[in-house]
Structure formats: C-alpha cells, structure tokens
C-alpha cells in the first residue's frame, strides 16, 4: 500500500484555479521531486499536504489515515521553507529542540537527540549561535535538523537550496540525499531546477500550470518525455513539427503525432548503422563546461551537443553539415 | 580645523542654551536662597523633603502613574492583538491603522478636549474615563511602531506555520516565538507611551482639571505659590524621564544584539 496518497486535489483562489486534479502515489522512503516552473502550484501542494492551506477538493492519506480535518500540528508532516523560517529569538540548539519540547520529551533525551542531529548536519560547533550569525547554507541545515528531529512521516522541502550558491547547493544536495537514505525518510522536494531534480530523486513529478505533466524516474523522464513541455523543460530537447522533420529527414514518419523531439547529444556527425540524417548550416558554437553546443539552421533551428575531448571534428561556421541520429532517439511527443 | 572649531563652538552654545534652563531649574530645587547672586547662596534638601511630605503631591504622583500605566495596559491588551491579527491575516487593512496613526499625530489636543467635553459631558460617564480612553487611542502610534518594526523583519506568518508543523498550537507558537521577538520593541513603545502620558497636561487640565489632580496639574498650581517646590517637582520629573529613557535605550540595544531585529 502506498504511504502517502494524494487524490483528485483541486485548489482555487477566488476565481483562479491553481491546481487541477493532482494525483500522487508515494511509497515509504521514496525521494520525490516536484519539478515545475515558477507559479505552477508546487508550494500550494506542499502547503495542502502539511495542512497549512485547505484544498478546494481532494483527499490526502498518510499511512492509510485520512488527513482531512487533522490540524497541521497533529499530522506528523515536517517542512523546510525556502526562507529557512528559523526562530530568530532562539539559538541553533533551541531551534532544533523546539519540536521535542512541544512533545514534552524529557530534558536529557532532548539534549542527546539535539546533539546527534547537529552532528548529522555538521553543525555541532554552532549549537549556541543565533540564526542571524549563520550563513545561508548553515541556516538551511539547521532548518533541516529542526524538521528531522521529530521524525516526521513525510518531510516536505520547499526549494530549500535555491537561495544558495552553486557549490554549496551541490554539496547540500548530496548531504540531503545521504541523510534521506540513512533515515529512510519519505521526502518531497520542490524545485524548479531540473538538474537538481535529476540528481537527487527516486521519482520526479513534472508540473505545468497546476497539473502534473508527467511522472517517472529521472531516466524515464529524461529519455522519454511525454510532451513538448517536458521536452523543453528537461534537457533542452530539439522539438520539431512533423512536417519540418519529415522534410529534413526525407522520409515519412510512422508515429501518429504532430511533434517529435531529439536530444541534442543524440545527434552526431559520424554515420552509424541505421542512422537517419538531418542537414543544417552551422551558425554558432558555444562552450559550456566540457560540452560544445552547436546551433544549426536546417528546415528549423536545432542544436547538437558534443563532448569537448572528442577531438576530430572542428566545426566551421557557415558550412553545411549532416547530423546523424539513431531511429530510436527520435521521440514522438503526444 | 578652524571651521571645525567654529562648528563646535556653536554646537556648545546651542546645547548650553537648551540645557541652561533645565540645569537652573534643577539647581533651584536645591537652592536655599537664590535672589541676588549668580549662583545660589546655599544648597538644601528642604524643598524635596517638603514635597515628599506633602500628601497632595504623593497622591498626584500616584494618580499620574495610575492613569498613564492604566492607559498603557489597556492599549497593550487591545491594540497589540489587533495589530498582530491585521499584520498576519488581513495585511490589506494595515493602511487604516497607518491612517489612524497620522490622525493621532495631527490632531491638536485642545480641539480634542473641546470635542470630548461637548460629546461626553452630558452622557454621564466620569470624565476621567473619557480622558483615559483618549489616552489609549493617543498612544496608538507608539505601540504600533514598536510592534510593527519588530514584525517587519520577520515573516511572522511563516514562523507560525513552522512552529505548528513542529507540534505547537497557535497559542504556543504565538507565545514562544512571536511575542519574544516583538517584546523589546513593544516594551520600548510602552515605556515611551508611559512617559508621554505622564507629562500630558492639555487634555487632563481642560477636561477634568482639579477633580483629578495629576502631577502636571499639581505643578501648575505650585508655580504660583512656590518656585522652589515647582522646581523640585520638575527635578523629580526629569529624573524619572531620564530613568525611563535609560531603560528604553538598554532594551532597544539588547534587542539588536540578541535577536534578528
Ligand atoms: N494566498 C494566495 N492567494 C491567491 N493566490 C495565491 C495564493 N497563494 C498562491 N497563489 C497563486 O497560486 C499559484 C501557485 O502558487 P505557488 O506558490 O504554489 O507556486 P510555486 O509553484 O510554488 O511557484 P514558485 O516556484 O515561484 O515558488 C500562483 O499563481 C499564485 O499567484
Ligand atoms: Mg513556491
């Protein structure tokens, strides 16, 4: 049986509909990511699961128990907010201990568990500091420790890392994933960064405009996007209309759909068995880390990505090239 | 360097100009005789001790304290929860409070007094209660600023959410997190209100007068009988205000040190 079930969730603010028919089925210990552009309703889902906002319709079940009418404080759902929401009048230690205090755990147990938790997030030496004396990454770790210590059934994380710089972010992503595995905690992470989603999750729910566009493992989402939105949002796919692509390939495509997607790195300049071919004039080359991204002008514009160390071709701008792609890498979009 | 010296000179002149009457008054409170000399002929504690033996003064002092602290307590009980509710749940209504604040500042006391007398004197409510009510409204700006400034730098709504998800009831969250956060600002606002009301004269004198003799009214009466006693009253008043200012300064400074204000 699923651990957390969200069924037929709808949310309206006055006239405007924010969520339409959200269904999610989450197993115990799963790391779920809600991925989607700004304003698509990700935070609203989390707030409804936590009981901070009421849904217009729909049902939330945790461990088989219907959550309707259950107060936030009794749901055993933890949350980490984007802006940390640490209590400014309390030290790190007091912040982390807060949940246990509310549960009336005895003082020696609190002390011990707080120490363990601070060690887990590598903040033992900051126990007596006030939140404003900490860096953003440190504050976020306190927020995480504070939410984890009460051992919630589900931990919700609302863009916890988006305010941090890239390096700390990567580190915290890894830390977060390690902690989640260690505690076998069920987590829902909200983010609008697709790389972050790919890096940490067991399963990704991609949202668009108040509904779920696709869900699946990172590999599934990346290699088999269902529709144009996903193809564009994940991995900068080249999206072609049937007409344009058939013209470029010079063949008739069999799938019944109007659009097709090809990943930029699925294109290559050397011909392999059974490859199809599209031609275009090289317009621009940009280096992005160890990847070179070249834009071609064919029937429509498309891009190709190659690894930098892959010497051999140097692409001249303004010259026409044939780019090859395997049949199975041409993905039909619904 | 030269310019600087000139500026300093004028600054000192100004300070002297402002402080001299205060110092002179305070000195007069201790002067045994000060008629024909530049400095008093001798110092004495006579005036102060006369003052403290005068039950009229003690009672007036008690009334002032009672009136000011009563108004401040009522304001804290009524206005502070209102500000919290508005800031947290109805932020669009905040402009009405701000408008009320401006009106309180801009309303001349004398007009207020006449208005209060005309409206309330026939109804039969004791006029002192009317003044108390006006005081409660009058210190709205100080209480509002005190609370609001502390709330401004925190996302109060989100802190409440976070506390609730950790198992706190709304009440506990309010008591353990929001109140301690606004407490220093609120405390300073309350002290400031107290000192403003303690020194209020226009309203109380016009509306109630000698029927409820406060320190200010007592002082007014003494001005015509004994300059020394009046100076002693002023001396006590200044000492009291100095103390209050000192406490406010400490509280606001500490709040900057410890919390996220
Ligand atoms: N209290 C509210 N009243 C009215 N509309 C709201 C309210 N809260 C959210 N909305 C609207 O609901 C929509 C979804 O908001 P939500 O905060 O869930 O988006 P999000 O996906 O979390 O975006 P972001 O990535 O920017 O945080 C937005 O269009 C927002 O304007
Ligand atoms: Mg959000």
């Amino acid at each position: 049986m699923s651990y957390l079930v969200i069924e037929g969730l709808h949310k309206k603010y006055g006239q405007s509909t924010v969520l339409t028919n959200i269904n999610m089925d989450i197993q115990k210990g799963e790391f779920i990511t809600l991925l989607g552009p700004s304003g698509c309703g990700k935070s609203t889902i989390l707030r409804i699961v936590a009981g901070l906002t009421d849904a217009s319709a729909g049902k939330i079940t945790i461990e088989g128990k219907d959550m309707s009418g259950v107060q936030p404080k009794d749901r055993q759902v933890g949350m980490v907010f984007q802006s940390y929401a640490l209590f400014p009048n309390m030290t790190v230690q007091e912040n982390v201990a807060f949940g246990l205090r509310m549960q009336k755990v005895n003082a020696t147990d609190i002390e011990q568990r707080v120490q363990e938790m601070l060690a887990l997030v590598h903040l033992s030496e900051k126990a007596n500091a006030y939140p404003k004396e900490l860096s953003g990454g440190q504050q976020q770790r306190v927020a995480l420790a504070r939410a984890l210590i009460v051992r919630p059934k589900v931990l919700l994380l609302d863009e916890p890392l988006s305010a941090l710089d890239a390096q700390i972010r990567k580190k915290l992503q890894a830390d977060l994933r390690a902690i989640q595995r260690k505690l076998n905690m069920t987590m829902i992470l909200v983010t609008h960064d697709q790389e972050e989603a790919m890096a940490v999750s067991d399963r990704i729910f991609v949202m668009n405009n108040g509904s779920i566009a696709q869900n699946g493992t990172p590999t599934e989402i990346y290699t088999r996007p269902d529709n144009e939105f996903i193809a564009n949002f994940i991995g900068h796919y080249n999206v072609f209309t049937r007409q344009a692509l058939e013209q470029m390939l010079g063949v008739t495509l069999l799938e019944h759909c109007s659009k097709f997607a090809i990943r930029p790195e699925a294109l290559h300049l050397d011909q392999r068995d059974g490859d199809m071919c599209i031609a275009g004039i090289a317009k621009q080359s940009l280096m992005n880390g160890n990847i070179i991204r070249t834009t071609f002008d064919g029937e429509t514009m498309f891009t190709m990505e190659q690894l930098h160390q892959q010497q051999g071709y140097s692409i001249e701008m303004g010259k026409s090239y044939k780019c090859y792609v395997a049949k199975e890498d041409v993905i039909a979009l619904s | 360097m030269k310019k600087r010296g000139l500026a300093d000179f004028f600054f000192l002149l100004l300070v002297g100009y402002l402080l001299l009457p205060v110092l002179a008054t305070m000195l007069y409170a201790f002067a045994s005789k000060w008629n024909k000399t530049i400095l008093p002929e001798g110092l004495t504690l006579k005036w102060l001790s006369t003052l403290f033996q005068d039950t009229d003064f003690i009672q007036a002092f008690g009334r002032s304290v009672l009136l000011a602290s009563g108004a401040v307590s009522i304001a804290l009980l009524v206005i502070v929860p209102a500000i919290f509710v508005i800031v947290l749940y109805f932020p669009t209504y905040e402009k009405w409070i701000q408008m009320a604040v401006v009106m309180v500042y801009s309303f001349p006391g004398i007009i207020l007094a006449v208005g209060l007398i005309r409206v309330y004197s026939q109804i039969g409510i004791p006029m002192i209660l009317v003044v108390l009510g006006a005081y409660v409204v009058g210190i709205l700006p100080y209480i509002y600023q005190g609370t609001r400034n502390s709330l401004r730098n925190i996302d109060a709504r989100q802190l409440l959410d976070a506390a609730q998800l950790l198992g706190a009831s709304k009440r506990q969250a309010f008591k353990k997190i929001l109140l301690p956060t606004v407490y220093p600002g609120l405390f300073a606002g309350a002290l400031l209100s107290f000192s403003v009301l303690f020194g209020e004269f226009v309203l109380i004198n016009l509306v109630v007068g000698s029927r409820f003799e406060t320190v200010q009214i007592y002082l007014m009466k003494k001005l015509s009988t004994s300059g020394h006693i009046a100076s002693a009253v002023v001396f006590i008043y200044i000492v009291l205000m100095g103390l209050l200012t000192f406490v406010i300064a400490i509280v606001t400074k500490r709040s900057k040190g410890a919390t996220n204000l």
Side-chain angles (χ1 to χ4, degrees):
Chain A
M1 198 185 61
S2 298
Y3 192 67
L4 167 64
V5 183
I6 300 174
E7 280 171 279
L9 208 62
H10 286 260
K11 176 69 188 173
K12 277 184 165 190
Y13 281 112
Q15 292 299 316
S16 67
T17 303
V18 175
L19 295 175
T20 20
N21 195 27
I22 302 291
N23 294 289
M24 293 172 78
D25 224 71
I26 295 164
Q27 305 302 321
K28 185 164 169 54
E30 242 189 324
F31 197 128
I32 296 293
T33 307
L34 267 181
L35 175 64
S38 185
C40 70
K42 307 179 296 287
S43 300
T44 309
I45 294 185
L46 291 199
R47 292 183 62 84
I48 292 174
V49 171
L52 298 170
T53 301
D54 290 328
S56 308
K59 193 170 142 188
I60 311 273
T61 318
I62 299 176
E63 250 188 345
K65 199 170 152 234
D66 184 359
M67 285 292 123
S68 47
V70 180
Q71 290 293 307
K73 74 185 182 72
D74 302 320
R75 287 198 179 199
Q76 291 181 270
V77 170
M79 187 149 168
V80 175
F81 296 86
Q82 180 171 358
S83 54
Y84 318 131
L86 295 179
F87 306 136
N89 57 317
M90 299 183 189
T91 61
V92 167
Q93 199 169 2
E94 288 164 347
N95 263 282
V96 176
F98 186 83
L100 297 180
R101 290 246 163 75
M102 291 298 112
Q103 293 178 358
K104 305 243 162 25
V105 175
N106 74 55
T108 42
D109 283 2
I110 291 184
E111 175 145 4
Q112 197 201 336
R113 278 169 69 180
V114 168
Q115 273 175 15
E116 281 169 19
M117 197 43 82
L118 287 180
L120 185 70
V121 297
H122 314 297
L123 274 177
S124 301
E125 73 281 13
K126 293 284 181 189
N128 293 315
Y130 281 92
K132 65 159 192 183
E133 298 161 358
L134 302 179
S135 73
Q138 289 169 335
Q139 290 188 38
Q140 197 52 278
R141 294 207 299 255
V142 177
L144 185 64
R146 186 180 68 175
L148 282 171
I149 200 165
V150 293
R151 299 174 190 148
K153 289 182 173 159
V154 180
L155 182 62
L156 310 174
L157 303 121
D158 194 350
E159 308 200 25
L161 310 178
S162 64
L164 307 172
D165 69 56
Q167 211 176 352
I168 294 176
R169 206 179 154 127
K170 289 258 159 59
K171 165 112 180 46
L172 280 185
Q173 282 169 8
D175 285 357
L176 192 62
R177 182 58 161 160
I179 290 170
Q180 185 266 342
R181 285 235 169 88
K182 188 166 168 189
L183 305 178
N184 193 30
M185 176 81 59
T186 311
M187 290 193 186
I188 306 182
L189 172 78
V190 156
T191 178
H192 53 233
D193 174 355
Q194 48 99 4
E195 249 177 69
E196 183 169 297
M198 295 285 165
V200 299
S201 6
D202 291 318
R203 211 141 53 93
I204 302 176
F205 286 75
V206 188
M207 289 190 64
N208 185 25
N209 226 337
S211 54
I212 289 168
Q214 186 177 357
N215 89 78
T217 64
T219 320
E220 279 168 3
I221 300 259
Y222 191 66
T223 54
R224 278 182 271 126
D226 269 353
N227 54 49
E228 188 179 357
F229 169 77
I230 310 264
N232 280 324
F233 196 68
I234 310 274
H236 318 287
Y237 270 80
N238 295 300
V239 177
F240 303 94
T241 62
R242 166 183 288 274
Q243 196 195 9
L245 190 60
E246 283 182 344
Q247 215 158 65
M248 289 162 83
L249 291 169
V251 294
T252 308
L253 295 157
L254 297 175
E255 289 87 351
H256 295 284
C257 64
S258 58
K259 296 217 166 146
F260 292 86
I262 298 175
R263 254 179 299 134
E265 70 271 23
L267 290 168
H268 42 89
L269 293 175
D270 51 324
Q271 185 170 15
R272 298 163 199 168
D273 277 354
D275 274 359
M276 303 201 286
C277 159
I278 57 180
I281 297 160
K283 285 285 171 196
Q284 193 186 32
S285 247
L286 287 177
M287 211 168 88
N288 187 357
N290 56 349
I291 285 173
I292 300 178
R293 171 178 296 180
T294 314
T295 310
F296 292 92
D297 189 2
E299 194 60 34
T300 53
M301 303 286 264
F302 61 93
T303 59
M304 175 180 76
E305 284 178 5
Q306 307 161 283
L307 281 180
H308 198 211
Q309 23 333 17
Q310 213 173 346
Q311 295 299 339
Y313 3 74
S314 66
I315 295 172
E316 277 176 52
M317 297 304 111
K319 225 177 120 191
S320 181
Y321 286 91
K322 283 180 172 171
C323 302
Y324 295 94
V325 59
K327 262 205 182 75
E328 60 272 20
D329 282 333
V330 179
I331 300 162
L333 299 175
S334 57
Chain B
M1 232 25 233
K2 200 101 195 228
K3 249 194 181 145
R4 177 75 205 283
L6 205 64
D8 282 353
F9 173 73
F10 278 109
F11 179 70
L12 284 179
L13 205 66
L14 181 70
V15 170
Y17 176 75
L18 290 174
L19 275 187
L20 207 58
V22 178
L23 290 177
T25 310
M26 287 174 77
L27 201 52
Y28 200 60
F30 295 95
S32 54
K33 207 157 174 248
W34 194 3
N35 297 328
K36 293 170 238 152
T37 47
I38 291 182
L39 282 175
E41 287 167 37
L43 293 177
T44 173
L45 286 173
K46 187 168 74 183
W47 314 116
L48 268 183
S49 71
T50 324
L51 194 59
F52 279 118
Q53 276 154 25
D54 183 356
T55 45
D56 279 358
F57 172 74
I58 302 294
Q59 281 175 1
F61 194 87
R63 285 193 204 98
S64 280
V65 171
L66 192 71
L67 190 60
S69 56
V72 171
S73 313
I74 295 174
L76 287 180
L77 285 178
V78 177
I79 298 178
V80 173
I83 292 173
F84 268 112
V85 170
I86 288 176
V87 169
L88 288 178
Y89 299 105
F90 305 99
T92 45
Y93 292 170
E94 211 183 328
K95 58 175 183 288
W96 295 107
I97 300 198
Q98 279 156 2
M99 214 146 115
V101 165
V102 172
M103 275 169 69
V104 167
Y105 274 131
S106 59
F107 229 78
I110 187 121
I111 294 183
L112 189 61
V114 173
L116 287 176
I117 292 171
R118 295 210 53 154
V119 174
Y120 289 105
S121 59
Q122 271 92 17
I123 299 179
I125 318 174
M127 286 316 271
I128 185 64
L129 290 186
V130 173
V131 171
L132 185 69
Y135 279 4
V136 171
V137 178
I139 56 177
L140 171 72
Y142 309 105
I143 305 282
Y144 171 72
Q145 302 297 8
T147 318
R148 192 62 188 106
N149 285 344
S150 327
L151 280 180
R152 184 154 298 147
N153 297 312
I154 58 170
D155 185 344
R157 193 69 191 275
Q158 197 163 72
L159 291 183
L160 283 187
D161 285 348
Q164 284 183 67
L165 287 175
L166 290 167
S169 66
K170 273 204 171 126
R171 257 183 69 138
Q172 283 173 314
F174 187 82
K175 222 176 85 186
K176 293 216 149 59
I177 291 143
L178 289 197
L179 224 47
T181 315
V182 299
Y183 174 73
L186 199 58
F187 190 63
L191 286 183
L192 193 62
S193 306
F194 179 85
S195 58
V196 167
L197 291 185
F198 196 84
E200 204 282 327
F201 175 68
V202 174
L203 208 58
I204 190 80
N205 186 43
L206 284 176
V207 178
V208 185
S210 53
R211 279 171 290 162
F212 193 87
E213 194 176 283
T214 61
V215 171
Q216 302 301 322
I217 296 179
Y218 177 90
L219 173 62
M220 186 70 185
K221 268 175 31 186
K222 284 295 167 203
L223 272 180
S224 49
T225 51
S226 161
H228 287 290
I229 296 282
S231 297
V233 174
V234 171
F235 172 74
I236 289 170
Y237 180 74
I238 287 173
V239 168
L240 185 69
M241 289 307 119
L243 267 175
L244 282 179
T245 314
F246 182 66
V247 175
I248 292 176
I250 287 182
V251 168
T252 31
K253 195 162 160 213
R254 199 173 39 198
S255 74
K256 280 196 190 98
T259 62
N260 214 350
L261 297 180

